[in-house]
Amino acid sequence: AYEITYGDWSSDVCSSDLIDPRTFPPIVLTTPSANHMGTDFLENQPTILLVDDTAENLMLLTEILKDEYRIRVATNGERALTIAHSKNPPDLILLDVMMPGIDGHEVCRQLKANPKTARIPVIFVTALSAIEDESIGFDLGAVDYISKPVRPKIVKARVRTHLSLYHQERLIDASRQKFQRLVDDVGDKFVVFSYTPVERKVTYMSDGARTVF
């Protein structure tokens, strides 16, 4: 019931000597078949970026999440940053800590230092469990930790929670921008009302409006 779209191994998803594309093909995204779900669902389906240098871990996380999300994978920190800065960035990143080259902590540090990627939720997926290791991740801006070996219910629950929070933040930002455009259009004389089933009240009045009312 699922359609898997594959891409160019060397350029579209990831490149690594650690994974043989003949045994682990490059998954760009995994989505329910259009025959089973509406086009609105497909267009709005969140994208999860999985970052790990071990093929087995990537395959396990893909299997856990593929029914609900688009999946992209990277086998090293450099490729993860490239995907995150692309024109179609992920909505959430599951990030391994211990990787050759740029490790997970450095990937997170660079993501949070760039305004374009700073707000993407990062969840570390790691065998490290010491309190100090978790503190480092949270100090860098990660939103959560998932310990290896992963448990499917835990992975799904935490991904769903942080995607929901991220979606709410974006809705709030969109409302603020819309409000600011309204303010810019009407000038300095405007009033904001709130409505309930039993009353209507003014929640904000600009200084310009106070000279009128």
Side-chain angles (χ1 to χ4, degrees):
Y2 292 88
E3 297 176 351
I4 300 176
T5 302
Y6 297 101
D8 175 20
W9 180 259
S10 63
S11 62
D12 195 25
V13 181
C14 56
S15 178
S16 173
D17 295 331
L18 298 175
I19 294 180
D20 185 344
R22 292 170 297 179
T23 58
F24 184 67
I27 300 175
V28 178
L29 56 88
T30 307
T31 58
S33 169
N35 294 327
H36 295 79
M37 302 297 292
T39 55
D40 288 343
F41 175 84
L42 296 178
E43 291 175 359
N44 296 324
Q45 200 176 24
T47 298
I48 309 297
L49 172 60
L50 310 178
V51 188
D52 201 301
D53 61 322
T54 303
E56 290 79 5
N57 293 337
L58 291 173
M59 288 188 286
L60 175 59
L61 288 170
T62 297
E63 186 63 28
I64 292 172
L65 297 169
K66 69 180 183 180
D67 290 1
E68 299 178 61
Y69 310 104
R70 290 184 175 94
I71 301 298
R72 300 197 70 179
V73 302
T75 57
N76 56 62
E78 292 87 348
R79 186 57 190 164
L81 290 170
T82 298
I83 294 175
H85 290 101
S86 68
K87 64 179 180 180
N88 296 310
D91 297 289
L92 184 142
I93 300 174
L94 292 180
L95 179 61
D96 185 26
V97 174
M98 303 298 290
M99 296 186 294
I102 300 179
D103 67 10
H105 287 156
E106 181 58 27
V107 170
C108 187
R109 183 181 292 108
Q110 293 190 32
L111 289 171
K112 299 307 175 181
N114 190 318
K116 293 183 178 180
T117 56
R119 300 187 65 181
I120 299 175
V122 174
I123 300 177
F124 280 120
V125 183
T126 178
L128 300 175
S129 58
I131 298 297
E132 55 269 25
D133 293 320
E134 294 187 2
S135 297
I136 292 173
F138 288 128
D139 289 342
L140 291 171
V143 296
D144 212 338
Y145 260 86
I146 296 175
S147 298
K148 295 178 181 177
V150 301
R151 290 175 288 176
K153 288 185 178 180
I154 296 297
V155 172
K156 290 182 178 181
R158 294 189 179 177
V159 165
R160 189 180 301 114
T161 295
H162 290 293
L163 279 175
S164 177
L165 292 172
Y166 184 44
H167 179 64
Q168 291 175 24
E169 289 179 2
R170 287 187 289 186
L171 287 178
I172 292 172
D173 283 347
S175 297
R176 287 173 177 166
Q177 293 173 13
K178 185 176 181 180
F179 180 75
Q180 186 59 52
R181 288 195 298 270
L182 176 63
V183 171
D184 294 340
D185 289 341
V186 302
D188 67 341
K189 297 181 176 63
F190 65 94
V191 179
V192 178
F193 294 94
S194 66
Y195 291 86
T196 70
V198 295
E199 67 176 344
R200 182 185 73 173
K201 62 180 179 180
V202 174
T203 58
Y204 180 82
M205 181 179 294
S206 69
D207 292 338
R210 294 179 190 279
T211 65
V212 178
F213 293 96

